[in-house]
Amino acid sequence: MHQQKKIAILLSVIVTAIALYCYNPFALYFQNDDFIHIPLSAQGVLLQHNTFRPVCDLSVMMDYQFFGTDASGYHTTNLLLHLIASCILFFLSKLVLRKYFSDIENINFYSFLSALFFFIYSSHSEAVFWILGRSAILGAIFSMLFLYGYLLKNVSKTYVVLYLTSLLFGLLSYESCWVLPIFSIILCFIDDEKARWRHALTVCGIFILFLLIRWSFIHEVAGNYEASAFINLDITALIKNYLLLVARSFLPAFNSDSILLFFAGILPVSTSILFFYCDKTVRKKVVFLLLFFLASLTVYTSIGIDTKGTEGERFLYFPIAIACLMLVIMIGLAQITLLFKQVLIIVFFAVQLTILLINAHNYRFAGETTRLVISELQKFKKASAVQVLGLPQAQYGATIFRVGLPEAVEWLVKDPGIDTVIICSQRSESKPLHVPYKAQQTSDTTSVCENFRLKDGAALRFTDSVLYIICNK
């Protein structure tokens, strides 16, 4: 037993070290609308582009005060928040296991395992790798603190204050917290505690008040981006998006939809086998956890998620915390041999770390591409206008410059005096750039925008493997 404990500790250290290598904040840079929202936060703007996430905006504003234009500082904050979320999941898992699954042995071990699963999980990596993805991390932190306080609300008034405060900050951080009133209602059917409906109605009342305040500030409850399928009652899109959210919570992105569908078909069969190896009383409690997981995905049913890249994985950040706890419980209480449990855990680690390494490479490459563009623009001396052809939008979901190039020039390219950015065309997201990507000067102006003038202008032309620069430096 002592030897097994030493092996478990060593494996945990190795897994954590690989994950930290993937999350390395010094290998990442600004991307996409980072260039839009960070300068706004630096100016003290807390409600940006019809969003109502002042807590997240405030955190970015504080980062700017410390780090300015050093992207690694912002990414360090994201990593620290991810570590905090994983630690909170450890304590929440301990509480849930003690309260509802007291038959499980080694509660501390399985609580640690759920936190470690969550820390290395690859299907929510966008929230960590992308600076603005931190809103999802903040939402998850406050959601888990809410659940911790809510489950202990009858123990002390301190926990009532905790869940009310967490609810308030969560709603001001990210829309994932909109499911918390649903959670409070579900818990009314699980627990036979006094005043449980009063607490649930209080949560629902605060949520309604929040929606009214949100409406008064941004004049909408949910915009067209977040809720177009709901507004248009597009049932087909809602069902499709929801099923994809469920599948992508457990499966990575694939270049082929048929491969995704194949594994999506295998997934419920394999999890059902593990589920039915649990005791009947355990299965009933796991079903309630499944309800929490399924409910947590509904907020993003209108938006959906990318199946060929990592875009939208931030929506899965909080749901995956519940999924990790659910998975660990089934492994811990399944009536299977210890060896088989160990194999399942090792396979899980191997698969998640492999995908995480791939995702890390894509985000590092996307960041290096934006850094390359900014670096080349900073060399311009005489150009007042820049024309861009084939601007890359994303690398397997890791956004590059779908938006934000003009704002990046205004924020980071200060000396040359470029005052106009004309985007003539954008590159298809389905055509990734080749690695390594390099910049090269050229005098060939045959494929630039109309009315191109070299005297007062410059051009950037993106191809598969080379960024061609046409200008007087």
Side-chain angles (χ1 to χ4, degrees), residues 397-453:
T399 49
I400 300 176
F401 270 128
R402 183 183 305 153
V403 295
L405 180 57
E407 290 81 2
V409 170
E410 182 179 353
W411 184 34
L412 298 176
V413 186
K414 299 176 181 178
D415 294 333
I418 300 171
D419 56 21
T420 304
V421 177
I422 303 170
I423 300 173
C424 302
S425 62
Q426 285 189 303
R427 184 179 177 83
S428 170
E429 293 189 17
S430 62
K431 296 179 180 179
L433 300 176
H434 296 172
V435 182
Y437 199 71
K438 59 183 180 180
Q440 180 179 319
Q441 252 192 301
T442 181
S443 58
D444 180 13
T445 61
T446 56
S447 301
V448 297
C449 307
E450 294 181 5
N451 303 319
F452 174 73
R453 293 185 300 172

Side-chain angles (χ1 to χ4, degrees), residues 315-336:
F315 306 147
L316 305 177
Y317 192 85
F318 177 50
I320 282 174
I322 303 170
C324 287
L325 175 56
M326 185 170 58
L327 181 61
V328 163
I329 289 171
M330 287 195 292
I331 292 174
L333 292 176
Q335 297 173 355
I336 54 179

Side-chain angles (χ1 to χ4, degrees), residues 117-118 121-125 241-254 260 264 267 271 290 292-298 300 304-307 309 312-324 326-327 348 352 355:
F117 274 18
F118 180 70
Y121 211 101
S122 61
S123 289
H124 62 37
S125 59
N241 289 343
Y242 186 77
L243 292 175
L244 288 176
L245 285 166
V246 174
R248 286 285 279 106
S249 296
F250 302 98
L251 298 172
F254 292 99
L260 179 64
L267 180 65
T271 52
L290 179 62
F292 281 121
F293 167 72
L294 295 175
S296 65
L297 294 171
T298 56
Y300 301 105
I305 189 171
D306 189 4
T307 59
E313 287 188 346
R314 63 193 183 278
F315 306 147
L316 305 177
Y317 192 85
F318 177 50
I320 282 174
I322 303 170
C324 287
M326 185 170 58
L327 181 61
F348 179 88
Q352 295 303 325
I355 301 168

Side-chain angles (χ1 to χ4, degrees), residues 143-311:
S143 294
M144 288 188 284
L145 287 174
F146 167 86
L147 287 172
Y148 192 90
Y150 197 84
L151 291 173
L152 295 173
K153 60 187 178 297
N154 290 326
V155 174
S156 167
K157 289 184 179 179
T158 302
Y159 294 111
V160 175
V161 173
L162 175 62
Y163 90 67
L164 289 174
T165 305
S166 300
L167 175 64
L168 175 62
F169 279 96
L171 291 173
L172 296 174
S173 297
Y174 203 49
E175 289 77 12
S176 62
C177 298
W178 288 21
V179 300
L180 297 182
I182 299 175
F183 285 8
S184 66
I185 293 173
I186 294 175
L187 285 169
C188 289
F189 295 96
I190 301 174
D191 297 326
D192 188 19
E193 298 175 337
K194 61 180 181 180
R196 61 188 186 279
W197 283 104
R198 177 168 60 83
H199 286 283
L201 290 174
T202 299
V203 172
C204 293
I206 291 173
F207 178 60
I208 293 171
L209 179 61
F210 160 77
L211 291 180
L212 293 173
I213 294 173
R214 178 185 170 102
W215 176 274
S216 68
F217 274 96
I218 64 174
H219 308 297
E220 63 181 25
V221 172
N224 191 60
Y225 169 71
E226 301 92 346
S228 61
F230 286 116
I231 295 171
N232 299 323
L233 293 178
D234 191 343
I235 305 300
T236 301
L238 290 172
I239 294 174
K240 177 185 175 183
N241 289 343
Y242 186 77
L243 292 175
L244 288 176
L245 285 166
V246 174
R248 286 285 279 106
S249 296
F250 302 98
L251 298 172
F254 292 99
N255 287 332
S256 170
D257 286 341
S258 59
I259 297 176
L260 179 64
L261 287 172
F262 172 76
F263 282 106
I266 294 176
L267 180 65
V269 176
S270 56
T271 52
S272 296
I273 292 172
L274 190 61
F275 176 78
F276 283 107
Y277 266 101
C278 295
D279 184 79
K280 186 177 181 180
T281 56
V282 173
R283 293 203 298 265
K284 290 181 179 179
K285 296 173 183 177
V286 170
V287 167
F288 278 105
L289 273 178
L290 179 62
L291 286 176
F292 281 121
F293 167 72
L294 295 175
S296 65
L297 294 171
T298 56
V299 180
Y300 301 105
T301 306
S302 179
I303 305 175
I305 189 171
D306 189 4
T307 59
K308 294 181 173 62
T310 54
E311 188 175 5

Side-chain angles (χ1 to χ4, degrees), residues 74-99:
Y74 298 83
H75 285 289
T76 299
T77 301
N78 274 29
L79 178 55
L80 289 174
L81 289 172
H82 184 45
L83 280 165
I84 291 170
S86 301
C87 291
I88 293 173
L89 180 58
F90 168 77
F91 291 106
L92 179 61
S93 298
K94 282 182 66 175
L95 176 60
V96 171
L97 291 175
R98 285 175 178 168
K99 187 169 184 176

Side-chain angles (χ1 to χ4, degrees), residues 42-163:
Q43 297 167 24
V45 181
L46 293 181
L47 302 178
Q48 304 173 13
H49 293 248
N50 270 25
T51 62
F52 197 73
R53 303 169 186 168
V55 171
C56 181
D57 296 335
L58 184 61
S59 77
V60 175
M61 185 192 306
M62 293 173 63
D63 268 4
Y64 182 82
Q65 298 303 315
F66 285 104
F67 307 117
T69 59
D70 181 6
S72 63
Y74 298 83
H75 285 289
T76 299
T77 301
N78 274 29
L79 178 55
L80 289 174
L81 289 172
H82 184 45
L83 280 165
I84 291 170
S86 301
C87 291
I88 293 173
L89 180 58
F90 168 77
F91 291 106
L92 179 61
S93 298
K94 282 182 66 175
L95 176 60
V96 171
L97 291 175
R98 285 175 178 168
K99 187 169 184 176
Y100 300 106
F101 300 91
S102 56
D103 292 339
I104 198 169
E105 297 179 2
N106 301 321
I107 285 178
N108 284 336
F109 170 74
Y110 282 106
S111 299
F112 171 76
L113 194 60
S114 68
L116 186 58
F117 274 18
F118 180 70
F119 183 68
I120 71 167
Y121 211 101
S122 61
S123 289
H124 62 37
S125 59
E126 181 189 46
V128 187
F129 288 128
W130 181 36
I131 293 172
L132 293 183
R134 78 169 54 168
S135 54
I137 305 179
L138 288 168
I141 286 173
F142 291 120
S143 294
M144 288 188 284
L145 287 174
F146 167 86
L147 287 172
Y148 192 90
Y150 197 84
L151 291 173
L152 295 173
K153 60 187 178 297
N154 290 326
V155 174
S156 167
K157 289 184 179 179
T158 302
Y159 294 111
V160 175
V161 173
L162 175 62
Y163 90 67

